[in-house]
Amino acid sequence: MLASHAKPVVRKGVTAFLLISFAGTWLWLLFARAGLGLSPLNPLLQLPTFCTPGIAAVVVRHWVTNEGFAAAGLRIRRKTARRYYIVGGIRLDQLPQTAPFQRPYGAVHPHHVAASGA
């Protein structure tokens, strides 16, 4: 329930994002499939599809809502978020607790060797 002092929801940005994102994705899929003959499993078809929501976010933030990117929360905060950067930089395979649960790179499971006849 919204309080009386709460700001009303501005739906213009969300509507534009969804429209650009879905329309861009489907138009690209239809063009690539019908015009170029690409399979939906082809990475050349999938890459622009995955980038469309990001492009839509930039378009909406810059041209539709005129918010810009200064207040987007993308600034690097080295002092206040130092521990999160350190934890994010640690690879899980370097932690001793996770070593028993990981297979070494290039290891082959015994069932795979028996099934292939090697």
Short mmCIF file of all heavy atoms in Angstrom, two decimals, residues 42-111:
data_model
loop_
_atom_site.label_atom_id
_atom_site.label_comp_id
_atom_site.label_asym_id
_atom_site.label_seq_id
_atom_site.Cartn_x
_atom_site.Cartn_y
_atom_site.Cartn_z
N ASN A 42 22.55 -20.54 -33.42
CA ASN A 42 23.76 -19.90 -33.88
C ASN A 42 24.14 -18.73 -32.95
O ASN A 42 23.31 -17.87 -32.69
CB ASN A 42 23.54 -19.37 -35.30
CG ASN A 42 24.81 -18.91 -35.96
OD1 ASN A 42 25.80 -18.60 -35.30
ND2 ASN A 42 24.78 -18.85 -37.27
N PRO A 43 25.36 -18.68 -32.45
CA PRO A 43 25.77 -17.57 -31.58
C PRO A 43 25.69 -16.20 -32.25
O PRO A 43 25.49 -15.20 -31.58
CB PRO A 43 27.21 -17.90 -31.19
CG PRO A 43 27.34 -19.36 -31.42
CD PRO A 43 26.39 -19.71 -32.52
N LEU A 44 25.84 -16.15 -33.57
CA LEU A 44 25.71 -14.88 -34.27
C LEU A 44 24.29 -14.33 -34.18
O LEU A 44 24.08 -13.13 -34.24
CB LEU A 44 26.11 -15.03 -35.73
CG LEU A 44 27.58 -15.31 -35.99
CD1 LEU A 44 27.82 -15.54 -37.47
CD2 LEU A 44 28.43 -14.16 -35.49
N LEU A 45 23.33 -15.20 -34.03
CA LEU A 45 21.95 -14.77 -33.85
C LEU A 45 21.69 -14.40 -32.39
O LEU A 45 20.96 -13.47 -32.10
CB LEU A 45 21.00 -15.87 -34.29
CG LEU A 45 19.52 -15.53 -34.15
CD1 LEU A 45 18.88 -15.51 -35.50
CD2 LEU A 45 18.86 -16.54 -33.27
N GLN A 46 22.31 -15.10 -31.47
CA GLN A 46 22.02 -14.91 -30.06
C GLN A 46 22.68 -13.68 -29.46
O GLN A 46 22.11 -13.03 -28.58
CB GLN A 46 22.46 -16.14 -29.26
CG GLN A 46 21.67 -17.37 -29.59
CD GLN A 46 22.20 -18.59 -28.87
OE1 GLN A 46 23.17 -18.52 -28.13
NE2 GLN A 46 21.56 -19.72 -29.10
N LEU A 47 23.87 -13.32 -29.91
CA LEU A 47 24.60 -12.21 -29.31
C LEU A 47 23.85 -10.88 -29.36
O LEU A 47 23.68 -10.24 -28.32
CB LEU A 47 25.99 -12.08 -29.94
CG LEU A 47 26.89 -11.04 -29.32
CD1 LEU A 47 27.18 -11.40 -27.87
CD2 LEU A 47 28.18 -10.92 -30.09
N PRO A 48 23.34 -10.45 -30.50
CA PRO A 48 22.56 -9.21 -30.49
C PRO A 48 21.28 -9.33 -29.66
O PRO A 48 20.83 -8.35 -29.07
CB PRO A 48 22.23 -8.97 -31.97
CG PRO A 48 23.23 -9.74 -32.71
CD PRO A 48 23.58 -10.91 -31.87
N THR A 49 20.73 -10.52 -29.59
CA THR A 49 19.52 -10.73 -28.79
C THR A 49 19.81 -10.49 -27.32
O THR A 49 19.01 -9.87 -26.62
CB THR A 49 19.02 -12.17 -28.99
OG1 THR A 49 18.76 -12.38 -30.37
CG2 THR A 49 17.77 -12.44 -28.20
N PHE A 50 20.96 -10.92 -26.84
CA PHE A 50 21.29 -10.74 -25.44
C PHE A 50 21.70 -9.29 -25.13
O PHE A 50 21.62 -8.87 -23.98
CB PHE A 50 22.41 -11.69 -25.02
CG PHE A 50 22.03 -13.14 -25.12
CD1 PHE A 50 22.94 -14.09 -25.48
CD2 PHE A 50 20.74 -13.56 -24.84
CE1 PHE A 50 22.59 -15.43 -25.57
CE2 PHE A 50 20.37 -14.89 -24.92
CZ PHE A 50 21.30 -15.83 -25.29
N CYS A 51 22.15 -8.57 -26.13
CA CYS A 51 22.57 -7.19 -25.92
C CYS A 51 21.41 -6.19 -25.99
O CYS A 51 21.56 -5.05 -25.56
CB CYS A 51 23.63 -6.80 -26.94
SG CYS A 51 25.16 -7.73 -26.75
N THR A 52 20.28 -6.60 -26.52
CA THR A 52 19.16 -5.69 -26.72
C THR A 52 18.65 -5.06 -25.43
O THR A 52 18.39 -3.86 -25.41
CB THR A 52 18.02 -6.42 -27.47
OG1 THR A 52 18.54 -6.97 -28.67
CG2 THR A 52 16.89 -5.48 -27.80
N PRO A 53 18.48 -5.78 -24.31
CA PRO A 53 18.02 -5.11 -23.09
C PRO A 53 19.01 -4.05 -22.58
O PRO A 53 18.59 -3.01 -22.06
CB PRO A 53 17.87 -6.24 -22.07
CG PRO A 53 17.66 -7.45 -22.90
CD PRO A 53 18.46 -7.24 -24.14
N GLY A 54 20.29 -4.28 -22.73
CA GLY A 54 21.27 -3.27 -22.33
C GLY A 54 21.19 -2.03 -23.18
O GLY A 54 21.27 -0.90 -22.68
N ILE A 55 21.03 -2.22 -24.48
CA ILE A 55 20.88 -1.08 -25.39
C ILE A 55 19.59 -0.34 -25.06
O ILE A 55 19.56 0.90 -25.03
CB ILE A 55 20.89 -1.57 -26.85
CG1 ILE A 55 22.26 -2.15 -27.19
CG2 ILE A 55 20.50 -0.47 -27.81
CD1 ILE A 55 22.31 -2.91 -28.48
N ALA A 56 18.52 -1.08 -24.77
CA ALA A 56 17.25 -0.45 -24.41
C ALA A 56 17.38 0.36 -23.12
O ALA A 56 16.82 1.45 -23.01
CB ALA A 56 16.16 -1.51 -24.26
N ALA A 57 18.15 -0.14 -22.15
CA ALA A 57 18.34 0.59 -20.90
C ALA A 57 19.06 1.91 -21.13
O ALA A 57 18.71 2.94 -20.56
CB ALA A 57 19.11 -0.27 -19.90
N VAL A 58 20.08 1.89 -21.99
CA VAL A 58 20.82 3.12 -22.30
C VAL A 58 19.92 4.11 -23.03
O VAL A 58 19.89 5.31 -22.70
CB VAL A 58 22.08 2.80 -23.12
CG1 VAL A 58 22.72 4.05 -23.66
CG2 VAL A 58 23.07 2.02 -22.28
N VAL A 59 19.16 3.63 -23.99
CA VAL A 59 18.27 4.51 -24.76
C VAL A 59 17.22 5.13 -23.85
O VAL A 59 16.98 6.35 -23.90
CB VAL A 59 17.60 3.72 -25.92
CG1 VAL A 59 16.46 4.51 -26.54
CG2 VAL A 59 18.63 3.36 -26.96
N VAL A 60 16.60 4.34 -23.01
CA VAL A 60 15.56 4.85 -22.12
C VAL A 60 16.13 5.84 -21.12
O VAL A 60 15.57 6.92 -20.91
CB VAL A 60 14.84 3.69 -21.40
CG1 VAL A 60 13.97 4.20 -20.26
CG2 VAL A 60 14.01 2.91 -22.40
N ARG A 61 17.24 5.52 -20.51
CA ARG A 61 17.80 6.40 -19.49
C ARG A 61 18.30 7.71 -20.10
O ARG A 61 18.21 8.76 -19.47
CB ARG A 61 18.94 5.69 -18.77
CG ARG A 61 19.38 6.40 -17.53
CD ARG A 61 19.88 5.42 -16.52
NE ARG A 61 20.28 6.12 -15.34
CZ ARG A 61 19.58 6.17 -14.23
NH1 ARG A 61 18.43 5.54 -14.15
NH2 ARG A 61 20.01 6.84 -13.19
N HIS A 62 18.81 7.67 -21.30
CA HIS A 62 19.38 8.87 -21.91
C HIS A 62 18.33 9.71 -22.62
O HIS A 62 18.26 10.92 -22.42
CB HIS A 62 20.49 8.47 -22.88
CG HIS A 62 21.31 9.63 -23.36
ND1 HIS A 62 20.81 10.61 -24.16
CD2 HIS A 62 22.60 9.95 -23.14
CE1 HIS A 62 21.76 11.49 -24.43
NE2 HIS A 62 22.86 11.10 -23.82
N TRP A 63 17.48 9.08 -23.47
CA TRP A 63 16.60 9.86 -24.32
C TRP A 63 15.15 9.88 -23.88
O TRP A 63 14.44 10.85 -24.15
CB TRP A 63 16.68 9.34 -25.75
CG TRP A 63 17.94 9.75 -26.42
CD1 TRP A 63 18.31 11.00 -26.78
CD2 TRP A 63 19.02 8.90 -26.78
NE1 TRP A 63 19.56 10.99 -27.35
CE2 TRP A 63 20.02 9.70 -27.38
CE3 TRP A 63 19.24 7.54 -26.69
CZ2 TRP A 63 21.20 9.19 -27.86
CZ3 TRP A 63 20.42 7.03 -27.17
CH2 TRP A 63 21.38 7.85 -27.74
N VAL A 64 14.64 8.85 -23.22
CA VAL A 64 13.22 8.81 -22.87
C VAL A 64 12.97 9.52 -21.55
O VAL A 64 12.13 10.43 -21.46
CB VAL A 64 12.70 7.36 -22.83
CG1 VAL A 64 11.27 7.31 -22.38
CG2 VAL A 64 12.85 6.72 -24.20
N THR A 65 13.69 9.14 -20.50
CA THR A 65 13.45 9.74 -19.18
C THR A 65 14.39 10.89 -18.87
O THR A 65 14.19 11.58 -17.87
CB THR A 65 13.58 8.67 -18.07
OG1 THR A 65 14.90 8.14 -18.10
CG2 THR A 65 12.57 7.57 -18.26
N ASN A 66 15.41 11.09 -19.69
CA ASN A 66 16.40 12.17 -19.50
C ASN A 66 17.04 12.15 -18.12
O ASN A 66 17.36 13.19 -17.55
CB ASN A 66 15.75 13.54 -19.75
CG ASN A 66 15.32 13.70 -21.18
OD1 ASN A 66 15.97 13.20 -22.09
ND2 ASN A 66 14.20 14.37 -21.39
N GLU A 67 17.27 10.96 -17.56
CA GLU A 67 17.89 10.85 -16.24
C GLU A 67 19.40 10.98 -16.31
O GLU A 67 20.02 11.41 -15.36
CB GLU A 67 17.53 9.50 -15.61
CG GLU A 67 16.09 9.38 -15.22
CD GLU A 67 15.77 8.00 -14.70
OE1 GLU A 67 16.11 7.02 -15.37
OE2 GLU A 67 15.17 7.94 -13.62
N GLY A 68 19.98 10.54 -17.39
CA GLY A 68 21.44 10.54 -17.48
C GLY A 68 22.02 9.39 -16.67
O GLY A 68 21.31 8.54 -16.15
N PHE A 69 23.34 9.41 -16.55
CA PHE A 69 24.00 8.29 -15.88
C PHE A 69 24.75 8.71 -14.62
O PHE A 69 25.37 7.88 -13.97
CB PHE A 69 24.97 7.61 -16.86
CG PHE A 69 24.26 7.01 -18.02
CD1 PHE A 69 24.14 7.70 -19.21
CD2 PHE A 69 23.69 5.77 -17.91
CE1 PHE A 69 23.47 7.17 -20.28
CE2 PHE A 69 23.00 5.21 -18.98
CZ PHE A 69 22.90 5.91 -20.16
N ALA A 70 24.69 9.98 -14.25
CA ALA A 70 25.41 10.44 -13.06
C ALA A 70 24.82 9.84 -11.79
O ALA A 70 25.55 9.51 -10.86
CB ALA A 70 25.38 11.97 -13.00
N ALA A 71 23.51 9.69 -11.73
CA ALA A 71 22.86 9.17 -10.53
C ALA A 71 22.45 7.70 -10.68
O ALA A 71 21.58 7.23 -9.98
CB ALA A 71 21.63 10.01 -10.20
N ALA A 72 23.09 7.00 -11.58
CA ALA A 72 22.70 5.61 -11.84
C ALA A 72 23.29 4.64 -10.82
O ALA A 72 22.95 3.46 -10.84
CB ALA A 72 23.14 5.20 -13.24
N GLY A 73 24.19 5.09 -9.97
CA GLY A 73 24.80 4.21 -8.99
C GLY A 73 25.90 3.35 -9.58
O GLY A 73 26.20 2.27 -9.07
N LEU A 74 26.53 3.81 -10.64
CA LEU A 74 27.59 3.04 -11.30
C LEU A 74 28.98 3.46 -10.89
O LEU A 74 29.96 2.91 -11.38
CB LEU A 74 27.44 3.19 -12.83
CG LEU A 74 26.11 2.71 -13.40
CD1 LEU A 74 26.03 3.04 -14.88
CD2 LEU A 74 25.93 1.24 -13.16
N ARG A 75 29.09 4.42 -10.02
CA ARG A 75 30.40 4.92 -9.59
C ARG A 75 31.13 3.87 -8.74
O ARG A 75 30.53 3.19 -7.92
CB ARG A 75 30.20 6.20 -8.78
CG ARG A 75 31.50 6.88 -8.42
CD ARG A 75 31.26 8.21 -7.71
NE ARG A 75 30.46 9.08 -8.56
CZ ARG A 75 29.31 9.63 -8.18
NH1 ARG A 75 28.83 9.39 -6.98
NH2 ARG A 75 28.64 10.40 -8.98
N ILE A 76 32.40 3.74 -8.94
CA ILE A 76 33.21 2.80 -8.15
C ILE A 76 33.47 3.42 -6.79
O ILE A 76 33.98 4.53 -6.68
CB ILE A 76 34.53 2.48 -8.86
CG1 ILE A 76 34.24 1.76 -10.18
CG2 ILE A 76 35.44 1.64 -7.98
CD1 ILE A 76 35.48 1.52 -11.01
N ARG A 77 33.12 2.68 -5.74
CA ARG A 77 33.31 3.16 -4.37
C ARG A 77 34.39 2.31 -3.70
O ARG A 77 34.08 1.32 -3.04
CB ARG A 77 31.99 3.06 -3.61
CG ARG A 77 30.93 3.96 -4.19
CD ARG A 77 29.59 3.73 -3.49
NE ARG A 77 28.59 4.58 -4.05
CZ ARG A 77 27.82 4.24 -5.09
NH1 ARG A 77 27.98 3.08 -5.64
NH2 ARG A 77 26.92 5.07 -5.55
N ARG A 78 35.64 2.70 -3.89
CA ARG A 78 36.75 1.89 -3.40
C ARG A 78 36.82 1.85 -1.88
O ARG A 78 37.16 0.82 -1.31
CB ARG A 78 38.07 2.42 -3.96
CG ARG A 78 38.20 2.18 -5.43
CD ARG A 78 39.59 2.56 -5.91
NE ARG A 78 39.66 2.43 -7.36
CZ ARG A 78 39.72 3.45 -8.19
NH1 ARG A 78 39.74 4.66 -7.72
NH2 ARG A 78 39.75 3.25 -9.47
N LYS A 79 36.53 2.94 -1.22
CA LYS A 79 36.68 2.98 0.24
C LYS A 79 35.52 2.29 0.95
O LYS A 79 35.73 1.52 1.88
CB LYS A 79 36.78 4.42 0.71
CG LYS A 79 38.07 5.09 0.26
CD LYS A 79 38.15 6.51 0.76
CE LYS A 79 39.42 7.16 0.25
NZ LYS A 79 39.51 8.56 0.65
N THR A 80 34.29 2.57 0.55
CA THR A 80 33.15 2.04 1.28
C THR A 80 32.84 0.59 0.93
O THR A 80 32.25 -0.12 1.74
CB THR A 80 31.90 2.90 1.01
OG1 THR A 80 31.64 2.93 -0.40
CG2 THR A 80 32.08 4.31 1.51
N ALA A 81 33.21 0.14 -0.26
CA ALA A 81 32.87 -1.22 -0.69
C ALA A 81 34.11 -2.08 -0.91
O ALA A 81 34.07 -3.02 -1.68
CB ALA A 81 32.05 -1.16 -1.97
N ARG A 82 35.16 -1.79 -0.21
CA ARG A 82 36.42 -2.51 -0.39
C ARG A 82 36.27 -4.02 -0.17
O ARG A 82 36.77 -4.82 -0.94
CB ARG A 82 37.49 -1.96 0.54
CG ARG A 82 38.81 -2.69 0.42
CD ARG A 82 39.87 -2.01 1.17
NE ARG A 82 40.03 -0.71 0.53
CZ ARG A 82 40.79 0.27 0.98
NH1 ARG A 82 41.46 0.08 2.08
NH2 ARG A 82 40.88 1.40 0.36
N ARG A 83 35.57 -4.41 0.87
CA ARG A 83 35.45 -5.84 1.17
C ARG A 83 34.68 -6.58 0.08
O ARG A 83 34.96 -7.74 -0.20
CB ARG A 83 34.81 -6.05 2.52
CG ARG A 83 33.40 -5.55 2.62
CD ARG A 83 32.84 -5.79 4.00
NE ARG A 83 31.60 -5.03 4.13
CZ ARG A 83 30.85 -5.04 5.19
NH1 ARG A 83 31.22 -5.76 6.23
NH2 ARG A 83 29.76 -4.35 5.23
N TYR A 84 33.73 -5.92 -0.56
CA TYR A 84 32.99 -6.58 -1.63
C TYR A 84 33.85 -6.77 -2.87
O TYR A 84 33.72 -7.77 -3.57
CB TYR A 84 31.74 -5.78 -1.98
CG TYR A 84 30.80 -5.66 -0.80
CD1 TYR A 84 30.58 -4.43 -0.19
CD2 TYR A 84 30.16 -6.78 -0.29
CE1 TYR A 84 29.74 -4.32 0.89
CE2 TYR A 84 29.32 -6.69 0.80
CZ TYR A 84 29.11 -5.45 1.39
OH TYR A 84 28.27 -5.35 2.46
N TYR A 85 34.72 -5.83 -3.14
CA TYR A 85 35.65 -5.98 -4.26
C TYR A 85 36.64 -7.11 -3.99
O TYR A 85 37.00 -7.87 -4.88
CB TYR A 85 36.41 -4.68 -4.53
CG TYR A 85 35.56 -3.62 -5.16
CD1 TYR A 85 35.30 -2.43 -4.48
CD2 TYR A 85 35.00 -3.79 -6.42
CE1 TYR A 85 34.52 -1.45 -5.05
CE2 TYR A 85 34.22 -2.81 -6.99
CZ TYR A 85 33.98 -1.65 -6.31
OH TYR A 85 33.20 -0.69 -6.87
N ILE A 86 37.09 -7.24 -2.76
CA ILE A 86 38.02 -8.31 -2.40
C ILE A 86 37.34 -9.67 -2.52
O ILE A 86 37.89 -10.59 -3.11
CB ILE A 86 38.59 -8.08 -0.98
CG1 ILE A 86 39.49 -6.84 -0.98
CG2 ILE A 86 39.34 -9.31 -0.50
CD1 ILE A 86 39.92 -6.40 0.40
N VAL A 87 36.14 -9.80 -1.97
CA VAL A 87 35.42 -11.06 -2.05
C VAL A 87 35.08 -11.39 -3.49
O VAL A 87 35.18 -12.55 -3.92
CB VAL A 87 34.14 -11.01 -1.18
CG1 VAL A 87 33.25 -12.21 -1.44
CG2 VAL A 87 34.50 -10.93 0.28
N GLY A 88 34.71 -10.40 -4.29
CA GLY A 88 34.40 -10.63 -5.69
C GLY A 88 35.61 -11.01 -6.51
O GLY A 88 35.49 -11.66 -7.54
N GLY A 89 36.79 -10.63 -6.07
CA GLY A 89 38.00 -10.94 -6.80
C GLY A 89 38.58 -12.29 -6.51
O GLY A 89 39.46 -12.77 -7.22
N ILE A 90 38.10 -12.96 -5.47
CA ILE A 90 38.60 -14.28 -5.12
C ILE A 90 37.91 -15.32 -5.98
O ILE A 90 36.69 -15.37 -6.05
CB ILE A 90 38.35 -14.58 -3.62
CG1 ILE A 90 39.13 -13.62 -2.75
CG2 ILE A 90 38.73 -16.03 -3.30
CD1 ILE A 90 38.82 -13.76 -1.28
N ARG A 91 38.69 -16.14 -6.64
CA ARG A 91 38.11 -17.23 -7.41
C ARG A 91 37.77 -18.37 -6.47
O ARG A 91 38.51 -18.69 -5.55
CB ARG A 91 39.10 -17.70 -8.47
CG ARG A 91 39.29 -16.69 -9.56
CD ARG A 91 40.26 -17.11 -10.59
NE ARG A 91 40.38 -18.54 -10.77
CZ ARG A 91 41.36 -19.11 -11.44
NH1 ARG A 91 42.31 -18.37 -11.98
NH2 ARG A 91 41.40 -20.41 -11.58
N LEU A 92 36.62 -19.01 -6.72
CA LEU A 92 36.17 -20.07 -5.82
C LEU A 92 37.09 -21.28 -5.82
O LEU A 92 37.19 -21.98 -4.83
CB LEU A 92 34.75 -20.49 -6.19
CG LEU A 92 33.67 -19.48 -5.86
CD1 LEU A 92 32.32 -20.01 -6.33
CD2 LEU A 92 33.63 -19.20 -4.38
N ASP A 93 37.77 -21.53 -6.93
CA ASP A 93 38.63 -22.70 -6.95
C ASP A 93 39.92 -22.48 -6.16
O ASP A 93 40.70 -23.40 -5.97
CB ASP A 93 38.94 -23.14 -8.37
CG ASP A 93 39.64 -22.05 -9.18
OD1 ASP A 93 39.72 -20.92 -8.69
OD2 ASP A 93 40.10 -22.36 -10.29
N GLN A 94 40.15 -21.27 -5.69
CA GLN A 94 41.33 -21.00 -4.88
C GLN A 94 41.03 -21.12 -3.39
O GLN A 94 41.94 -21.07 -2.58
CB GLN A 94 41.86 -19.59 -5.18
CG GLN A 94 42.40 -19.48 -6.58
CD GLN A 94 42.83 -18.07 -6.90
OE1 GLN A 94 42.48 -17.12 -6.21
NE2 GLN A 94 43.58 -17.91 -7.97
N LEU A 95 39.76 -21.25 -3.03
CA LEU A 95 39.41 -21.40 -1.62
C LEU A 95 39.58 -22.86 -1.21
O LEU A 95 39.12 -23.77 -1.89
CB LEU A 95 37.97 -20.97 -1.37
CG LEU A 95 37.68 -19.49 -1.60
CD1 LEU A 95 36.19 -19.23 -1.43
CD2 LEU A 95 38.48 -18.63 -0.65
N PRO A 96 40.25 -23.13 -0.07
CA PRO A 96 40.48 -24.52 0.32
C PRO A 96 39.19 -25.27 0.67
O PRO A 96 39.13 -26.49 0.52
CB PRO A 96 41.39 -24.41 1.54
CG PRO A 96 41.31 -23.01 1.99
CD PRO A 96 40.87 -22.18 0.83
N GLN A 97 38.12 -24.58 1.10
CA GLN A 97 36.89 -25.26 1.48
C GLN A 97 36.20 -25.88 0.27
O GLN A 97 35.48 -26.86 0.40
CB GLN A 97 35.87 -24.32 2.12
CG GLN A 97 36.33 -23.50 3.26
CD GLN A 97 36.92 -22.18 2.84
OE1 GLN A 97 37.95 -22.14 2.22
NE2 GLN A 97 36.29 -21.10 3.22
N THR A 98 36.37 -25.29 -0.90
CA THR A 98 35.66 -25.78 -2.08
C THR A 98 36.47 -26.77 -2.89
O THR A 98 35.95 -27.34 -3.84
CB THR A 98 35.27 -24.60 -2.99
OG1 THR A 98 36.47 -23.94 -3.41
CG2 THR A 98 34.37 -23.63 -2.27
N ALA A 99 37.71 -27.03 -2.55
CA ALA A 99 38.57 -27.92 -3.33
C ALA A 99 38.03 -29.34 -3.43
O ALA A 99 38.10 -29.94 -4.50
CB ALA A 99 39.98 -27.92 -2.76
N PRO A 100 37.47 -29.95 -2.38
CA PRO A 100 36.98 -31.33 -2.53
C PRO A 100 35.80 -31.46 -3.49
O PRO A 100 35.51 -32.54 -3.98
CB PRO A 100 36.54 -31.72 -1.12
CG PRO A 100 37.23 -30.78 -0.22
CD PRO A 100 37.43 -29.52 -0.99
N PHE A 101 35.09 -30.37 -3.76
CA PHE A 101 33.90 -30.45 -4.59
C PHE A 101 34.19 -30.16 -6.06
O PHE A 101 33.29 -30.17 -6.87
CB PHE A 101 32.84 -29.47 -4.08
CG PHE A 101 32.47 -29.71 -2.66
CD1 PHE A 101 32.89 -28.85 -1.67
CD2 PHE A 101 31.71 -30.81 -2.32
CE1 PHE A 101 32.54 -29.07 -0.35
CE2 PHE A 101 31.36 -31.04 -1.01
CZ PHE A 101 31.77 -30.18 -0.02
N GLN A 102 35.43 -29.90 -6.39
CA GLN A 102 35.77 -29.52 -7.76
C GLN A 102 36.58 -30.59 -8.45
O GLN A 102 37.41 -31.25 -7.83
CB GLN A 102 36.55 -28.21 -7.76
CG GLN A 102 35.75 -27.07 -7.22
CD GLN A 102 36.59 -25.83 -7.15
OE1 GLN A 102 37.74 -25.83 -7.52
NE2 GLN A 102 36.00 -24.75 -6.68
N ARG A 103 36.32 -30.74 -9.75
CA ARG A 103 37.13 -31.65 -10.54
C ARG A 103 38.29 -30.87 -11.11
O ARG A 103 38.14 -29.72 -11.50
CB ARG A 103 36.31 -32.21 -11.70
CG ARG A 103 35.28 -33.17 -11.25
CD ARG A 103 34.51 -33.82 -12.36
NE ARG A 103 34.95 -33.55 -13.70
CZ ARG A 103 34.21 -33.77 -14.77
NH1 ARG A 103 33.01 -34.24 -14.63
NH2 ARG A 103 34.67 -33.51 -15.97
N PRO A 104 39.46 -31.47 -11.15
CA PRO A 104 40.58 -30.78 -11.79
C PRO A 104 40.30 -30.59 -13.28
O PRO A 104 39.57 -31.36 -13.88
CB PRO A 104 41.77 -31.69 -11.56
CG PRO A 104 41.24 -32.92 -10.96
CD PRO A 104 39.82 -32.74 -10.60
N TYR A 105 40.87 -29.55 -13.85
CA TYR A 105 40.66 -29.28 -15.26
C TYR A 105 41.22 -30.43 -16.09
O TYR A 105 42.32 -30.91 -15.88
CB TYR A 105 41.34 -27.98 -15.67
CG TYR A 105 40.71 -26.78 -15.02
CD1 TYR A 105 41.38 -26.08 -14.05
CD2 TYR A 105 39.44 -26.39 -15.38
CE1 TYR A 105 40.80 -24.98 -13.44
CE2 TYR A 105 38.84 -25.30 -14.78
CZ TYR A 105 39.52 -24.59 -13.81
OH TYR A 105 38.94 -23.52 -13.22
N GLY A 106 40.44 -30.88 -17.04
CA GLY A 106 40.87 -31.96 -17.91
C GLY A 106 40.60 -33.35 -17.36
O GLY A 106 40.89 -34.33 -18.00
N ALA A 107 40.03 -33.45 -16.16
CA ALA A 107 39.74 -34.76 -15.58
C ALA A 107 38.57 -35.39 -16.32
O ALA A 107 37.65 -34.72 -16.74
CB ALA A 107 39.41 -34.63 -14.11
N VAL A 108 38.62 -36.71 -16.47
CA VAL A 108 37.58 -37.42 -17.16
C VAL A 108 36.92 -38.36 -16.17
O VAL A 108 37.58 -39.06 -15.41
CB VAL A 108 38.17 -38.23 -18.35
CG1 VAL A 108 37.09 -39.01 -19.06
CG2 VAL A 108 38.86 -37.28 -19.30
N HIS A 109 35.60 -38.38 -16.18
CA HIS A 109 34.85 -39.26 -15.30
C HIS A 109 35.00 -40.70 -15.80
O HIS A 109 34.99 -40.94 -17.01
CB HIS A 109 33.37 -38.85 -15.31
CG HIS A 109 32.61 -39.44 -14.18
ND1 HIS A 109 32.04 -40.68 -14.28
CD2 HIS A 109 32.33 -38.98 -12.95
CE1 HIS A 109 31.42 -40.97 -13.16
NE2 HIS A 109 31.57 -39.95 -12.33
N PRO A 110 35.14 -41.69 -14.90
CA PRO A 110 35.36 -43.08 -15.34
C PRO A 110 34.23 -43.60 -16.23
O PRO A 110 34.48 -44.39 -17.13
CB PRO A 110 35.42 -43.87 -14.04
CG PRO A 110 35.72 -42.90 -12.98
CD PRO A 110 35.24 -41.57 -13.46
N HIS A 111 33.00 -43.17 -16.01
CA HIS A 111 31.89 -43.66 -16.84
C HIS A 111 32.02 -43.18 -18.28
O HIS A 111 31.64 -43.86 -19.21
CB HIS A 111 30.55 -43.21 -16.26
CG HIS A 111 30.29 -43.78 -14.92
ND1 HIS A 111 30.09 -45.13 -14.71
CD2 HIS A 111 30.19 -43.21 -13.69
CE1 HIS A 111 29.87 -45.37 -13.42
NE2 HIS A 111 29.93 -44.21 -12.77
#
